[in-house]
Every structure is written in structure tokens, then in C-alpha cells.
Amino acid sequence: MTKFNRRGFLATSGGAAVATLAMPAISFGQAKPKVVVVGGGAGGATAARYLAKDSKGAIDVTLIEASKRYYTCFFSNLYLGGFRDYESIGHGYDRLAVNHGVNVIHDWASGVDSAAKTVTLASGTKVPYDRLVLSPGIDMKYDSVEGYSVEAQDSMPHGWKSGSQVQLIKAQVEAMKEGGTFVMVPPPNPYRCPPGPYERVSMIAHILKKKNPKAKIIVLDQKPKFSKQGLFMEGWQNHYPGMIEWIGSDTHGGIKNVNPETLEIETDFDTFKADAASLVPAQKAGTITAAAGVTDGDWAPIVPATMASKADENIHVLGDASVASAMPKSGFSANSQAKVAANAIRGALTDSKVFPARFSNTCWSLIDTDDGVKVGANYKAGEEKIEVVDKFISKTGEDSALRKATYEESEGWYAGIAADMFS
Amino acid sequence: MKSWGGTIRKSSKTVLLSTVVAGIFLGLFASNGLALAPPKSFKKCVACHQVGEDAKNTVGPQLNALEERPIGSVPGYKYSKALKKFAQENDIWTVNTLGEFLKKPRKYIRGTKMSFAGLKKESERTELVNWLLHTAEKKADTSADQLLGASAAAQQADPEYGQYLSGECVTCHRPGGAEGIPNINGWESRNFIHVLYEYKQEVRKNPVMVTVAKRLGDEEIAALAAYFASIEAE
Ligand SMILES: Cc1cc2nc3c(=O)[nH]c(=O)nc-3n(C[C@H](O)[C@H](O)[C@H](O)COP(=O)(O)OP(=O)(O)OC[C@H]3O[C@@H](n4cnc5c(N)ncnc54)[C@H](O)[C@@H]3O)c2cc1C
């Protein structure tokens, strides 16, 4: 492995600086194929790592990521519930650079010129590519709920992107008055992490049970049913009897508007007044996908076998931003898709073997201490869509030893995927 | 100290000669033609432990003469700190201590490397403990059906394919292992194959692994086994 000057990296990694790594002095005549990855999350970090690691230096890999540190949304609920501290879900990019020679640029990608094959950075720099990988995650559709806005996210935090929002939710739950009401408004489909809102409700209940046992949680869902519903409902009944009330959109008739100042949420059926609230709006693919011209509506359609955009064969879209059909928008899915894309891209740019696409996903959720459940499946690439091969889900009424083992497994998974993205 | 290794070896020399070592089942069970077959539950151990004349340390130490040897004393095996500490307080395994350990290894010896959830059923535990302590090293039969997946083991393994397929494993299986999910680097191929077959046949029931294993054909299993065997365990 090429020696890498860590000091240089740290010193220059602010703003738009490029950390030039492996073999910077290779002759220009035999320029290596270039892959640029935008977004260093579950999809992007994995793609960059596998491209660099498996091509063993034959591909020049650049990762463009806005943040210096990636705080995972996965397990942010466990932070919320007090099972993890915040730093334990934060990860840096230095090992991608040091161990695999990925060029890490901390900047915002503001545009893509797909004819010239360049990515434009906020700093003005243009980065050329042979293949582009976009894994920017989601953006919020703030205007999908009347009264909600970027400003409103301070009083009704969504906490649906990594970062300080989830810390805000935790602070607001903990500061809630005795016997107060927390209102959670989960998003409409499709959205990132289908069981996520309900795990969040569970974790908030876990805190309140200890600190504020008379408090109530009302869930005003923007859909009529939800992922692992039977398991969550059973768990809420067992662990938090009488605390959580879930009201589906069939019952409340839809969210009409919210008032971020008074924390009032009006539905067709009633107006709810919260003492603290979290609202997760509808979502769309991170904006760079639209800038690259690969979206159709809110999301980017892909060719299942390669994860290449249906609109541009030189651009691959991974993770939440893509239309992955049967696969849920999850970190596990994004990580899995990244490996399929990396394999296809290596095959196209070097002469490595290309194997058939195979995808998988498991989403673990924690309901209360040592009560973990999971749902998962594996998938194959159909012509048009990613299709389910086989699937499973935890059962209601499982014994506590199994639930505990499931929780422990989720901890193992977190360690695994973190290493698979960043080590 | 009594050189138990030596005695065992001597007493079973003749045994070795008469041992039928069949195909891929090399050395997992040597035969003296007399001993009791291992109890069913021992299948859960064979991914990581060997017994018999040719038994070697693999993921876990070999299990010969367990009742005679001091705890944590197999040469060449790197025990966890936790087990070494346990060994200072307990000389040898007894029906009680081994039973408690196998009930919930990671609870009984916190920090043990053994990533096995435990044998819940008391009857199974008693049977296994008795066999391990009293019968195992005088050894079992060669019954070929001990190891599953002969058809996969017979396959030519493509290391590149194995590396690609391993992507599906390493989302969860971290090098060195982690709470709840074991290390799979450095496993011997046949043990790896055996365990995947146990999931395929739902002898082991974790639905994540059952789903993974069911989709793997022999070619895939062989490729994966060869790949993980080639990576050094941490
Ligand atoms: C509460 C919650 C719980 C969850 N729990 C789980 C779970 O248990 N298991 C699971 O598998 N998934 C879980 N998820 C889902 C998971 O977090 C996402 O599905 C996953 O992160 C998607 O990966 P991605 O690569 O698409 O996007 P992200 O991981 O969001 O990564 C996108 C990255 O791109 C960067 N970026 C975006 N645009 C630009 C740009 N223009 N220029 C530069 N950088 C840019 C962002 O800064 C970000 O770091 C959970 C989500 C939430 C909200």
C-alpha cells in the first residue's frame, strides 16, 4: 500500500481540498479509469471502498462527501433510547484513504455535466469521471405537510438525516413536562427505513417509562399500516401498556396542517396538541440526482443488474435515492447494492469478472431492552425490477432468549457494516 | 504434570492404523470401532472443534481428553483472557462447570472467544457434557454423515467468485467477530460448508442465515468456504 501522509490529509481536508493518495505520480499516458462517488454514506462509502480495495489500484476512486464525520441514522434510535452514546455512531473517512487509497474530498457536489462527464463542486472545482456513483440519500419534501418547513424542523425535528436533529429530539423528549404528550408523525411511503419511525416510538417510550411514566405518545401516521406492525403493537402492549396510541391515516383522515409554534397538528378528525413532537415529511432522492438528470419524479430508476441509471449508463445510483423496487430503503440495502455496482463498474472499466447481481437486507429493530425483532429478505435482479427471492420476519410471541439474541445480533451487524463501510 | 497428550497418542496408535478416513471427513472423527457415537448436539460444536486422533485446533481448541487436561492448556491454541482467568480458578472441567459453560458460554465466562449461544435443553447438555468428558477422546465412529455438504466440498472453488459472494456475509460478519455475530475468517472449508448446510437444512434456525444459505448452491458454498479459509483470522 502506498504510504500516505496523514498529516497532509488532515491539514488539507477542510473545504474543497483534495487528499491525493495512492500513486499520485503515475505517468499521464496510461491514465487510470476514474470513478467518482458522491455521498459517503451506506451506499457511497461501501462503493468507494470496494472499488478501491478490489481493483487494487487499477481504478482511481474519488469520494465526495459534504461532512467530515458520518453519523449513522441506523442506531440513532438506540442513541435516542440511551443504549448508545452519540459518538459511537460516528465514523470518519481516514481509513478509506489510508487503507485503500480513496481520494476523499469534503465538499458539496452541486452539479453534474453528464455530457462532459464532470462533477462540479461548490468550491468551483470540476472533477472528471468515467463512471459516476450517486448515493446522496434523501432530501425532505418540507412542503408535503402544510405549515412544515426548514425552520419548523427545530421545533418538530424530523431526525431523518444523520446529524444533530436526533439530538434535538432526545433533548425535547427529556425536557417534556410531566405527563405530557409526545406526538410522532411518521412519513408516507416510500421513505427511508420502513420500521424506523416505530423503533423511534419504542425508544422514546423506553425513556419516558423511566423518567416520565405518565406521559403519552400519540402516533399520527401518514399511512394506514406499517412495517412489522404486529410485532411493534405486541411489544408496545407488553412493555409500555397504555402509553402509546397509534392512529393510522384511515382513521384520522390525513394530516391537514401543523403549527410549529403551538405544536398543534390538525387532522381531518381532530386537532392534537403536543408538548413535544417529531414530524417526518415525505422524501425524495438527494438533489444531486435531479441535477444529474437521472430522476423520474422523486427517485432515480435503475437497471437492477448493475444499479446503473436507466437514463445514463455512466451514472450508477445507490441506496435511498434509487428505485430499488422490492428492496426497502435501508443502510443494509444500500451497502448491498454498492457491492453489485462496484462489481459491474470494475468489470466495465477493467477486465475483472462480473458476477450476477445478488442483494440482501435485514432490518433489526429494538422495542425495549433485550427485545429485538428483525425482518429481511434476499433479492435478485429481474429485467426491470429487483425481485424478492426469499424473506423472513420475527414472529409474535417469541421467547425472551430469542429476542435477546436478536438484539445482540443487531449489535454485531452494526459493528459489521461499520467495518464494511469505513475500515 | 501428566503428559496426557502422550498417553492418548500411544493408546490410540493402533486405532489410527485401523481408521477409515473417508473422503472429506478427514480426521474429524477417528475410529476405534468401539466408542459411542457423539450425541446429536455435538453437531453444533463441529464447526469449531475437533476430537479424535487427528484432531487439530481450528476456530476452537481440539477437545480430546477434556476431563484430564487442565482447562485452557492445549498447546498452540490462543485462549481468551477470560478463559485463562477462569483456568486459574478452576483446574479441570467438571460435569458442573462444563454444563454451566455450555448453557450460556458468554454469560458463564464473560469475554470468552466461543461465540456459541448455548445449549438450552438440560437433557441435551447432560448428554453432551458426559460424552465430552468421558467418551469423546476414546473415540467416536467415522460415520460419514457427521459432516454435511460433501457435494459442495467436492466442487472446484473459484476464489474470485468467493470474494464477490463474501460481500453478502461481511455486512454482518466483522473480522474478529462482534457481539451476537461470530468471526468467520479462517474457518476450515469443510466446517464452513457443514455449517452452511446446517442452515440450508434448518438444523440451525436463525432465519437470516437460513435465507442466505438456501439461495447458495454448491458452487457458491465451495467458493465462499475457500475464500474465508484463505483469510487469516484476527
Ligand atoms: C431513524 C433511522 C433508523 C434507521 N435504522 C436503520 C437500520 O437499523 N438498518 C438499516 O439498514 N437502515 C436504517 N436506516 C436507514 C439508513 O440510514 C439509510 O437507508 C441509509 O443511510 C441510506 O444510505 P445512502 O447511501 O442512500 O444515504 P446516506 O447514508 O444518507 O448517505 C448520503 C451521504 O451523502 C452525502 N451527500 C448528499 N448529497 C451530497 C452532495 N451533493 N455532495 C456531497 N455529499 C452529499 C450526505 O452528507 C451523506 O453523508 C435508518 C434510518 C433512520 C432515519
Side-chain angles (χ1 to χ4, degrees):
Chain A
M1 177 64 42
T2 319
K3 277 249 175 59
F4 167 64
N5 182 341
R6 194 184 156 90
R7 262 243 255 45
F9 173 64
L10 294 177
T12 57
S13 62
V18 180
T20 310
L21 299 164
M23 297 164 258
I26 294 272
S27 79
F28 293 107
Q30 23 170 301
K32 290 193 270 175
K34 291 181 170 52
V35 179
V36 173
V37 180
V38 175
T46 308
R49 183 168 174 272
Y50 274 72
L51 281 163
K53 172 172 82 68
D54 294 347
S55 74
K56 302 190 175 66
I59 296 177
D60 185 339
V61 183
T62 299
L63 175 63
I64 299 165
E65 163 58 49
S67 312
K68 300 269 177 56
R69 226 171 143 66
Y70 178 76
Y71 288 90
T72 58
C73 283
F74 30 110
F75 275 31
S76 65
N77 284 328
L78 271 64
Y79 154 72
L80 186 56
F83 291 88
R84 286 224 162 206
D85 64 41
Y86 195 59
E87 263 322 302
S88 80
I89 59 170
H91 306 271
Y93 293 91
D94 48 342
R95 282 182 296 167
L96 286 183
V98 178
N99 296 346
H100 307 292
V102 175
N103 307 312
V104 181
I105 303 181
H106 289 297
D107 198 346
W108 179 255
S110 53
V112 174
D113 182 338
S114 55
K117 295 216 233 167
T118 56
V119 178
T120 307
L121 306 184
S123 59
T125 311
K126 282 191 182 353
V127 188
Y129 65 81
D130 295 304
R131 290 282 173 129
L132 176 62
V133 177
L134 300 177
S135 193
I138 52 161
D139 273 330
M140 297 298 153
K141 293 173 78 173
Y142 289 101
D143 58 5
S144 64
V145 175
E146 199 187 316
Y148 200 66
S149 60
V150 179
E151 297 73 42
Q153 72 183 14
D154 289 341
S155 53
M156 292 183 163
H158 53 75
W160 223 245
K161 286 176 126 187
S162 82
S164 58
Q165 279 261 301
V166 64
Q167 293 175 299
L168 204 54
I169 297 176
K170 189 171 169 76
Q172 290 174 3
V173 170
E174 285 172 352
M176 204 167 73
K177 73 170 190 213
E178 209 186 309
T181 301
F182 186 92
V183 177
M184 170 82 202
V185 184
N189 289 323
Y191 63 100
R192 128 179 312 181
C193 194
Y198 314 96
E199 184 183 54
R200 174 181 287 175
V201 166
S202 308
M203 291 296 96
I204 291 173
H206 174 80
I207 309 180
L208 293 176
K209 185 164 88 172
K210 276 188 279 188
K211 296 203 169 142
N212 192 349
K214 292 210 184 84
K216 292 264 176 297
I217 301 174
I218 296 176
V219 188
L220 295 174
D221 215 323
Q222 298 188 66
K223 50 192 174 304
K225 58 183 187 162
F226 63 90
S227 168
K228 304 189 210 174
Q229 185 159 354
L231 293 166
F232 279 111
M233 292 294 205
E234 178 196 56
W236 293 346
Q237 188 59 41
N238 290 343
H239 299 293
Y240 317 112
M243 182 182 269
I244 302 168
E245 185 181 3
W246 177 83
I247 308 175
S249 57
D250 281 354
T251 309
H252 64 64
I255 309 289
K256 280 174 78 179
N257 61 67
V258 298
N259 184 335
E261 261 137 55
T262 59
L263 296 186
E264 281 172 332
I265 296 147
E266 192 187 340
T267 68
D268 262 1
F269 152 77
D270 207 349
T271 298
F272 296 82
K273 167 108 180 69
D275 296 297
S278 166
L279 185 150
V280 186
Q283 296 154 26
K284 62 179 182 194
T287 49
I288 190 70
T289 48
V294 295
T295 47
D296 177 9
D298 288 335
W299 310 98
I302 48 86
V303 178
T306 58
M307 297 303 293
S309 157
K310 282 191 172 156
D312 185 333
E313 60 178 8
N314 295 315
I315 302 181
H316 298 250
V317 186
L318 308 178
D320 293 354
S322 69
V323 178
S325 326
M327 285 185 94
K329 298 185 187 301
S330 75
F332 200 127
S333 294
N335 168 273
S336 173
Q337 292 157 7
K339 293 167 194 174
V340 168
N343 186 251
I345 294 169
R346 281 202 303 124
L349 298 182
T350 67
D351 56 2
S352 68
K353 277 193 224 168
V354 177
F355 298 104
R358 42 198 303 132
F359 306 93
S360 53
N361 175 62
T362 299
C363 287
W364 286 267
S365 304
L366 186 61
I367 302 178
D368 197 356
T369 309
D370 290 337
D371 192 359
V373 291
K374 60 189 171 188
V375 60
N378 51 24
Y379 309 85
K380 64 173 196 251
E383 278 291 301
E384 283 299 309
K385 292 181 169 177
I386 297 179
E387 294 162 5
V388 175
V389 176
D390 197 4
K391 59 183 176 184
F392 63 86
I393 183 165
S394 295
K395 299 186 175 50
T396 50
E398 284 171 343
D399 69 29
S400 57
L402 179 56
R403 289 296 178 85
K404 181 166 190 238
T406 302
Y407 164 62
E408 285 172 357
E409 195 176 280
S410 76
E411 288 281 348
W413 163 74
Y414 188 88
I417 194 171
D420 202 31
M421 290 165 64
F422 293 111
S423 73
Chain B
M1 188 191 303
K2 183 178 162 210
S3 111
W4 54 268
T7 23
I8 297 290
R9 224 149 259 289
K10 232 177 269 144
S11 66
S12 45
K13 262 271 134 63
T14 44
V15 170
L16 178 66
L17 294 174
S18 63
T19 301
V20 184
V21 185
I24 62 142
F25 307 110
L26 296 165
L28 187 63
F29 299 100
S31 165
N32 61 7
L34 305 170
L36 281 171
K40 253 211 195 114
S41 54
F42 186 61
K43 277 196 177 171
K44 295 186 175 161
C45 317
V46 301
C48 305
H49 294 284
Q50 300 189 355
V51 289
E53 172 67 21
D54 295 330
K56 284 187 308 230
N57 299 333
T58 56
V59 177
Q62 50 89 345
L63 297 178
N64 287 342
L66 208 56
E67 91 282 26
E68 288 177 56
R69 72 193 202 197
I71 292 175
S73 66
V74 175
Y77 187 76
K78 254 183 103 185
Y79 292 92
S80 63
K81 276 201 193 105
L83 197 116
K84 284 188 199 150
K85 183 163 170 279
F86 182 79
Q88 286 166 7
E89 294 150 9
N90 299 268
D91 300 332
I92 52 164
W93 287 112
T94 65
V95 170
N96 272 341
T97 54
L98 190 59
E100 279 304 303
F101 182 52
L102 292 183
K103 191 161 148 193
K104 269 210 162 170
R106 280 171 295 169
K107 190 169 168 216
Y108 189 60
I109 303 183
R110 274 191 196 280
T112 176
K113 269 160 82 176
M114 185 154 104
S115 55
F116 171 59
L119 265 186
K120 254 199 297 183
K121 263 204 197 145
E122 201 187 19
S123 56
E124 272 187 358
R125 231 168 35 234
T126 312
E127 187 188 29
L128 180 63
V129 165
N130 274 308
W131 183 77
L132 280 172
L133 290 179
H134 305 310
T135 327
E137 108 281 4
K138 283 151 209 145
K139 212 52 10 51
D141 60 17
T142 45
S143 53
D145 58 22
Q146 287 300 342
L147 268 185
L148 302 170
S151 53
Q155 292 267 330
Q156 185 80 5
D158 174 353
E160 223 177 318
Y161 194 24
Q163 180 174 18
Y164 169 67
L165 293 168
S166 74
E168 190 174 354
C169 314
V170 298
T171 301
C172 302
H173 291 276
R174 186 183 173 280
E179 184 178 18
I181 296 185
N183 167 61
I184 52 175
N185 290 350
W187 279 31
E188 269 208 44
S189 277
R190 57 193 181 159
N191 296 345
F192 192 97
I193 292 170
H194 173 83
V195 171
L196 276 181
Y197 258 80
E198 286 190 332
Y199 283 117
K200 235 171 141 64
Q201 299 176 356
E202 296 187 55
V203 178
R204 290 169 187 250
K205 298 205 174 356
N206 187 319
V208 180
M209 282 307 303
V210 169
T211 310
V212 168
K214 280 199 167 158
R215 153 154 83 159
L216 298 170
D218 280 346
E219 189 192 349
E220 283 77 27
I221 290 182
L224 278 169
Y227 174 74
F228 282 107
S230 75
I231 305 181
E232 223 167 279
E234 269 184 14

